[in-house]
Amino acid sequence: MHVNFKAEWKKRADLVEEGLLRELKKVPAYDETLEKAMEYSLMAGGKRLRPVLLMAAADAVGKDGAAFLTTGCAIEMIHTYSLIHDDLPAMDNDDYRRGKPTNHKVFGDGIAVLAGDALLTLAFEVMLRQEGAAPETLVTVVSEMSRAAGPYGMVGGQVLDLEGEGRRLDLAALRKIHMGKTGALFCAAIRSGAILAGAKEEELAALTLYAERFGLAFQITDDILDVTGDEAAIGKPVGSDVRNEKATYVTLTSLEEAKKLAEDAVDEAVVALDIFGERAAFLRDLALFLLGRKK
């Protein structure tokens, strides 16, 4: 892993922090409480992984990924909406997120639902603010994002996740859940960065494979952290999967087997980047980082 990997990540994440607040404030919300609720979760910190991946994918293709920060901010809004809704009593019923009370604990269930709705819809307006991209390219990106966020991606995966609680699933069923719930948005981030940067067909295919394997490794390590993680480091209670009777890669295999599955997925992700050479160094480091992450 390159010495300056974490510094590069922080630099990109800082750009996202600035960009999110700027995009959020461009048009005042209809109501002050709504604006506060949106900002509360959107600006609560986090790894900013999806916009960072979007920019890094554009870098790999040979463009300056920071030029597509606006679209990166939009995907972070979609991700934040999903977290607000995931935490609701009707879903995962979590009290803390990133070390702070969840949105519904501060603003109530109704406002939390609407804050999530508002962030999701605002995201598509923000996407269309992206400069330096042809209109047809933006239409393609909007299509990528909407498909990943909707019934064929994240929402569909979330439904399967809810239906799977308390049921005995096999690995294929678990994989389908997480390809939608977690993997789809990773794929959309990486593919959108590549599309905005003008990726050739071969490059887009390689980055899509990377995204799929990255998403799988991320979910497996997430399942591992729910068993082995430190609550203070993660910023939310551990053991929620067991509490909600959810099938995970750990419960369907074992802790050691889950770690091996994550290692294999990371290896495949790294190999997929071979055609990019050093331009994809940051993406390689991100994949390797998953194996040792603590939060």
Side-chain angles (χ1 to χ4, degrees), residues 10-66:
K10 185 179 185 307
K11 180 180 173 184
R12 293 166 198 230
D14 287 347
L15 281 177
V16 176
E17 293 292 327
E18 295 166 11
L20 284 171
L21 199 55
R22 184 169 59 246
E23 296 300 332
L24 185 63
K25 298 294 186 182
K26 276 190 177 171
V27 181
Y30 203 73
D31 174 81
E32 188 178 347
T33 301
L34 175 61
E35 187 168 328
K36 284 180 179 176
M38 292 165 70
E39 186 173 338
Y40 177 81
S41 291
L42 188 63
M43 304 310 297
K47 296 180 284 292
R48 307 307 189 190
L49 184 53
R50 288 148 193 83
V52 166
L53 280 166
L54 185 149
M55 290 186 280
D59 288 337
V61 174
K63 294 287 178 70
D64 177 11

Side-chain angles (χ1 to χ4, degrees), residues 3 17 28 30 52 56 63 94 98 130 138 143-144 154 168 188 193 196 200-202 212 226 244 270 290 294:
V3 177
E17 293 292 327
Y30 203 73
V52 166
K63 294 287 178 70
D94 281 322
R98 294 169 178 162
Q130 177 64 60
L138 287 182
S143 178
E144 286 278 337
M154 189 168 62
R168 187 169 183 81
L196 287 165
K200 298 173 184 152
E201 193 174 323
E202 181 189 19
E212 290 169 353
D226 194 66
N244 292 324
V270 168
L290 291 179
K294 304 295 181 188

Side-chain angles (χ1 to χ4, degrees), residues 16 24 30 35 77 80 103 106 129 203 210 215 225 244 250:
V16 176
L24 185 63
Y30 203 73
E35 187 168 328
M77 289 177 178
T80 302
N103 197 290
V106 178
R129 294 176 190 162
E203 292 172 324
Y210 168 87
L225 281 174
N244 292 324
V250 175

Side-chain angles (χ1 to χ4, degrees), residues 83-104:
L83 299 182
I84 294 172
H85 283 197
D86 274 358
D87 291 336
L88 288 164
M91 302 280 273
D92 289 348
N93 194 23
D94 281 322
D95 293 343
Y96 289 92
R97 169 75 64 178
R98 294 169 178 162
K100 296 172 62 178
T102 45
N103 197 290
H104 67 276

Side-chain angles (χ1 to χ4, degrees), residues 16 19-20 23 42 50-51 54 68-81 119-120 122-130 141 145 185:
V16 176
L20 284 171
E23 296 300 332
L42 188 63
R50 288 148 193 83
L54 185 149
F68 307 117
L69 173 63
T70 303
T71 307
C73 289
I75 202 166
E76 189 69 8
M77 289 177 178
I78 295 173
H79 175 56
T80 302
Y81 125 76
L119 285 168
L120 172 62
L122 177 59
F124 291 96
E125 179 186 336
V126 171
M127 265 177 243
L128 295 175
R129 294 176 190 162
Q130 177 64 60
V141 168
M145 295 285 194
L185 214 55

